[in-house]
Amino acid sequence: MATRKAAAPVVSIVMGSSNDWDVMQYAARQLKDFDIPYEARVLSAHRTPELLAEYVRKCIEGGTQCFIAGAGGAAHLAGVIAALTTLPVLAVPIPSKHLGGLDSLLSMVQMPKGIPVATFAIGDGGSANAGLFAVAMLALNDAALAKRLQAFRMKQADAVKAAKLPDLS
């Protein structure tokens, strides 16, 4: 699994299965593009709960500032992480075979009062936005990062302004 080793990870990307990397790589891409040190791991809330709890504790001790958790189906991963830390947890519902990710989304947004999880859209777009949201949170205390994020947003706006529609034939 992908890991940026240049500095201690400030964002931890956790997913319930290696198959989830197809979606979660979009969060990693955003972090990499902004030079945010991250670590990506496969850990299951159901199959490896003790290992997950140990990993969360090590992340907290190591300076992690937020978690991005991607899971499908019952999708308890983000909630379990949120129960283990007061750090922000950003949840990405993974599309599922039978319900297209709606099951994952509903599992994530129905957290009990007092254990918040910020939940994003199902799939690639939600993953990319979770990565960008992590960048925005980190930019609150990093003026240089905030400036790069603003430039990214301006580039997006410029692309929309420059868009041309084809003529009717």
Side-chain angles (χ1 to χ4, degrees), residues 73-114:
H76 293 119
L77 184 60
V80 170
I81 293 171
L84 295 168
T85 183
T86 57
L87 292 173
V89 178
L90 315 178
V92 178
I94 302 294
S96 58
K97 181 178 178 181
H98 298 292
L99 296 173
L102 184 59
D103 50 346
S104 311
L105 174 67
L106 293 174
S107 293
M108 292 173 174
V109 299
Q110 292 298 323
M111 288 300 299
K113 183 171 133 181

Side-chain angles (χ1 to χ4, degrees), residues 67-69 89-94 101 104-105 108-109 117-123 125-134 137:
F67 291 87
I68 300 174
V89 178
L90 315 178
V92 178
I94 302 294
S104 311
L105 174 67
M108 292 173 174
V109 299
V117 170
T119 305
F120 291 81
I122 298 167
S127 178
N129 280 340
L132 287 169
F133 195 87
M137 286 190 311

Side-chain angles (χ1 to χ4, degrees), residues 15 19 27 32 48 64 75 91-92 109 113 124 133-134 136 141 144 158 160 169:
M15 61 211 84
N19 294 331
K32 182 178 180 183
T48 60
T64 294
V92 178
V109 299
K113 183 171 133 181
D124 302 354
F133 195 87
N141 296 311
D158 291 343
V160 171
S169 40

